[in-house]
Amino acid sequence: SLKIRSEIIKLSVYSDRVTLEDDKALMVNEPIDDVFKMTDALFDKNGLLLLAYYRNFRQQNMETVAIVALLASQIRFLFQVAFLMNKRMGKEEIAKELKAHPYRVQLSMQKASRFTPQKLLGYLSMLADLDQNMKKGRIDPDEGFENFALALEEERQKG
């Protein structure tokens, strides 16, 4: 494929003998992959992992408000899936209703079954509070997100 050939050319410009470490250093993670992993970290209350993904996004020059919005959009989608599952809708019906790919819906159904819609709304509410406090200048965005992640980690540690 043309994309693969292009990537090989980029690597060859970087070095005559490319190592795995070189490849990893040059590789850009797809944000969508990280947002799924970030959402899982949030649900697992793994604040340290959540923070690691956050810092990865920040290194890619993504603003904190955009990261919070991305996370919220994932949770909002899960909430919609959970709500429609409670209405006894199947994968195909949900995909059609939400205008989403059936595979994304299938994965979301598996995740959504772990939570009540109210629990998902709770996560959205926490993110909305964080977002408002950042936008109103009450907290520094980086510090605010770090405190949010560390509070989750503390909650997880308590069990």
Side-chain angles (χ1 to χ4, degrees), residues 16-27:
D16 295 348
R17 254 187 106 223
V18 179
T19 65
L20 181 59
E21 285 72 32
D22 294 333
D23 185 48
K24 284 181 181 175
L26 294 171
M27 199 167 29

Side-chain angles (χ1 to χ4, degrees), residues 28-69:
V28 176
N29 286 340
E30 287 296 318
I32 199 71
D33 291 340
D34 278 357
V35 81
F36 290 136
K37 293 174 185 172
M38 198 175 187
T39 306
D40 287 341
L42 173 72
F43 290 152
D44 294 340
K45 295 184 178 163
N46 189 334
L48 299 178
L49 190 56
L50 183 66
L51 208 46
Y53 288 120
Y54 168 77
R55 288 180 177 150
N56 188 28
F57 277 127
R58 292 293 288 135
Q59 283 179 334
Q60 296 174 40
N61 291 322
M62 190 181 270
E63 291 297 320
T64 303
V65 172
I67 297 167
V68 170

Side-chain angles (χ1 to χ4, degrees), residues 72-143:
S73 74
Q74 281 301 110
I75 297 170
R76 195 173 309 110
F77 186 78
L78 280 177
F79 171 78
Q80 291 170 325
V81 168
F83 180 79
L84 295 174
M85 284 171 64
N86 283 348
K87 287 184 147 190
R88 302 272 185 245
M89 290 175 84
K91 178 178 74 174
E92 298 300 326
E93 289 175 294
I94 293 173
K96 189 175 178 185
E97 177 77 22
L98 299 179
K99 296 174 181 61
H101 193 280
Y103 183 67
R104 180 180 182 207
V105 170
Q106 181 181 337
L107 293 177
S108 297
M109 287 174 81
Q110 291 166 358
K111 270 193 186 118
S113 65
R114 294 172 42 199
F115 303 99
T116 64
Q118 291 74 20
K119 184 72 174 166
L120 292 169
L121 284 177
Y123 283 116
L124 279 175
S125 178
M126 288 177 3
L127 290 170
D129 288 345
L130 177 62
D131 184 64
Q132 284 300 306
N133 285 328
M134 288 187 303
K135 287 179 178 172
K136 290 182 177 179
R138 292 187 194 131
I139 57 172
D140 171 76
D142 284 318
E143 197 177 304

